[in-house]
Amino acid sequence: QVQLVESGGGLVQAGGSLRLSCAASGRIASINAMGWYRQVPGKQRELVAGFSRGGTITYLDSVKGRFAISRDNAKKTVYLQMNSLKPEDTAVYHCNAEIRPSGYDSARDYWGQGTQVTVSS
C-alpha cells in the first residue's frame, strides 16, 4: 500500500523555524506532483507550496520568502522548511502527492495524516 508519512510539526514561538518531512512508501512506479497543504478549522484547505508535474514550484503568497519546499527523489521525500513563522501559520499541515502505484496505469492523489504546527505569539 502506498502511504505518505509526515513528521516535523510542533510548537514554536513566532519568528522560529520548523522543517516538515513527508516520505512516500510502498510499491510506487512514479511520483508526479508533491506538495504541502494546510487547514485550520472552519476554512478550506489551501496549498502552501508544491511541485507541479513539470517541476514548477508554487508558493502561497503569504509564505513567499519565508518557506522553501524541496524534494529528494531518491528518498521519495518532500520537505518544507518554514522560517520566520507567524501565529497565522498555525494549522494542520498535510502532505499531498500524485502517485502511480506499481502495476497501475494511472496516478491518483494520496494524502498524509497531517501534522500540527502551532506558532505562539
Side-chain angles (χ1 to χ4, degrees):
Q1 301 295 337
V2 173
Q3 284 187 318
L4 297 177
V5 179
E6 300 133 336
S7 61
L11 173 64
V12 65
Q13 287 190 330
S17 297
L18 285 173
R19 189 190 192 209
L20 305 182
S21 300
C22 170
S25 63
R27 299 182 67 237
I28 295 171
S30 63
I31 300 176
N32 302 331
M34 290 189 84
W36 291 93
Y37 287 71
R38 68 187 183 188
Q39 188 168 26
V40 297
K43 292 190 177 181
Q44 283 193 324
R45 191 173 292 188
E46 60 183 358
L47 175 65
V48 177
F51 288 95
S52 69
R53 288 183 180 183
T56 301
I57 296 176
T58 299
Y59 289 103
L60 183 68
D61 283 347
S62 63
V63 309
K64 287 179 180 176
R66 299 188 297 121
F67 291 11
I69 190 171
S70 61
R71 63 191 290 180
D72 184 330
N73 291 330
K75 294 182 178 180
K76 299 183 178 66
T77 298
V78 65
Y79 305 95
L80 185 67
Q81 179 66 44
M82 305 185 293
N83 300 325
S84 302
L85 282 160
K86 303 176 180 179
E88 51 263 44
D89 295 318
T90 296
V92 176
Y93 284 70
H94 294 271
C95 177
N96 169 262
E98 186 181 281
I99 296 174
R100 183 168 67 85
S102 298
Y104 286 76
D105 293 331
S106 60
R108 54 152 286 191
D109 265 352
Y110 289 86
W111 291 90
Q113 78 283 0
T115 185
Q116 177 70 47
V117 171
T118 302
V119 184
S120 63
S121 57

